[in-house]
Amino acid sequence: VLDFHTAMDNPVLVHPEDDWKSLCPVGADNKRNLCASGVDGEGDVDAVIADCDIVLDETYHVKAMQQSMMETFRTCTYLDTYGRLIVLSSTQIPFHVRRIVANALDISKAKVRVIKPRIGGGFGAKQTVVTEVYPAIVTWKTGKPAKMIYTREESMIASSPRHEMEVRVRLGAMSDGTIRAIDLHPLSNTGAFGEHGPTTVGLSGHKSIPMYHTEAFRFQYEVVYTNRMSAGAYRGYGATQGIFAVESAADELAHKMGMDPVKFRELNMPMEGEALPGYPDVPINGSCTMDKCLARAKEMIGWDEKYPFRD
């Protein structure tokens, strides 16, 4: 299964094994090639959109991207005086490494100690266990020190790139530019394994939908297994894909209405002291100056002299 559009409910299963299990309730089903799925929202999106003056319905595709930090992946392992497994690794997640290595070896976490020195870049790729398990197995089986150091090519072909996503966005607005509804539907390609699969897709909606006030919103998603390189964390952690799609749609809707996209955002964005759209229990107190940020960016760009275009 190489095309993530056809992965869900495909007769070819990426994980047909009977002992497959989802450790958390994230809407996973290996018999449907689903790593995660779910729906969240408020209000009747379809009814509100049907009542809008103007509707934009577009799909945006964000491809997988690979990170290239200066220091490649590397791990060395050895046993200390007390028989504990010491894992010295270029990682961003020492406690996750300890848990995952202990699970892989079927030993207590108390028998694993992870040392994380200052590392030569990560950008998210080192939020995944990449080189740690293999030398750990060698040391645990033999009692001898072991190490694994990836070449640059190995880092590019055997680690964790950004999740490829296809994001459908429906925006409904009135003729005065007021957004009334957002309907966001990302399809995320996790590759062969569910590394950060359920969590990155969450941020694609939870970080983009609150950018605008709405009467109703819906966030529906599927994360599918494919026979491709397993995706993971990468700068922005899913929010990048969702915000790219929603902001592109906002620009296109403003253009369709003949409205300055800056004015369109000023009209619809949340302000300090208000509740965060989609999160009514989380007021923005003292930590949101999006309006000032937009005004400063507009000034630095010289927006008024350049919009809508300059010959």
Side-chain angles (χ1 to χ4, degrees), residues 76-311:
C76 70
T77 55
Y78 57 94
L79 296 180
D80 71 3
T81 308
Y82 307 102
R84 283 187 307 177
L85 177 66
I86 309 300
V87 180
L88 175 64
S89 187
S90 181
T91 181
Q92 296 173 253
I93 49 163
F95 288 96
H96 287 308
V97 169
R98 185 174 74 146
R99 171 179 56 81
I100 291 167
V101 166
N103 285 342
L105 295 174
D106 197 22
I107 61 177
S108 165
K109 288 196 286 289
K111 292 182 179 177
V112 181
R113 179 188 174 204
V114 178
I115 301 172
K116 185 207 82 68
R118 192 177 288 257
I119 66 171
F123 312 121
K126 290 174 184 173
Q127 283 178 233
T128 296
V129 167
V130 174
T131 52
E132 289 84 355
V133 172
Y134 310 108
I137 291 171
V138 172
T139 294
W140 196 249
K141 290 287 188 185
T142 67
K144 303 290 187 185
K147 70 177 177 180
M148 175 179 269
I149 298 177
Y150 271 13
T151 62
R152 175 59 62 193
E153 182 183 4
E154 287 165 342
S155 286
M156 299 297 281
I157 67 171
S159 58
S160 52
R162 188 192 295 284
H163 285 80
E164 177 185 25
M165 288 191 198
E166 187 165 276
V167 187
R168 182 186 177 193
V169 185
R170 286 200 302 159
L171 289 181
M174 303 308 286
S175 54
D176 64 356
T178 307
I179 294 179
R180 294 183 60 196
I182 297 179
D183 190 8
L184 193 71
H185 189 174
L187 175 67
S188 179
N189 183 3
T190 193
F193 300 98
E195 195 66 60
H196 298 272
T199 44
T200 49
V201 77
L203 270 66
S204 73
H206 297 146
K207 297 292 184 183
S208 59
I209 291 170
M211 299 283 281
Y212 298 100
H213 281 298
T214 54
E215 292 173 35
F217 74 87
R218 178 167 54 208
F219 175 40
Q220 181 180 347
Y221 58 87
E222 289 90 30
V223 183
V224 291
Y225 290 115
T226 60
N227 294 110
R228 288 188 176 271
M229 192 170 169
S230 181
Y234 184 117
R235 302 177 65 166
Y237 201 80
T240 311
Q241 293 93 310
I243 288 176
F244 166 72
V246 170
E247 291 298 279
S248 296
D251 274 346
E252 292 189 52
L253 185 60
H255 181 70
K256 204 171 177 181
M257 301 172 76
M259 181 179 280
D260 181 337
V262 173
K263 288 188 172 63
F264 183 71
R265 285 170 172 81
E266 288 171 344
L267 183 65
N268 289 289
M269 66 185 176
M271 304 293 281
E272 192 174 320
E274 298 176 347
L276 197 63
Y279 299 90
D281 300 328
V282 187
I284 313 170
N285 289 327
S287 62
C288 177
T289 54
M290 205 191 306
D291 54 333
K292 294 176 186 174
C293 178
L294 188 63
R296 180 72 179 120
K298 181 181 175 184
E299 178 189 325
M300 292 171 73
I301 292 168
W303 180 262
D304 289 333
E305 298 80 53
K306 295 172 183 172
Y307 177 78
F309 58 85
R310 185 177 64 187
D311 286 336

Side-chain angles (χ1 to χ4, degrees), residues 40-62:
D40 183 22
E42 285 179 11
D44 189 335
V45 166
D46 294 322
V48 173
I49 284 181
D51 190 47
C52 287
D53 293 334
I54 187 163
V55 177
L56 184 99
D57 187 344
E58 292 291 345
T59 301
Y60 306 89
H61 187 187
V62 181

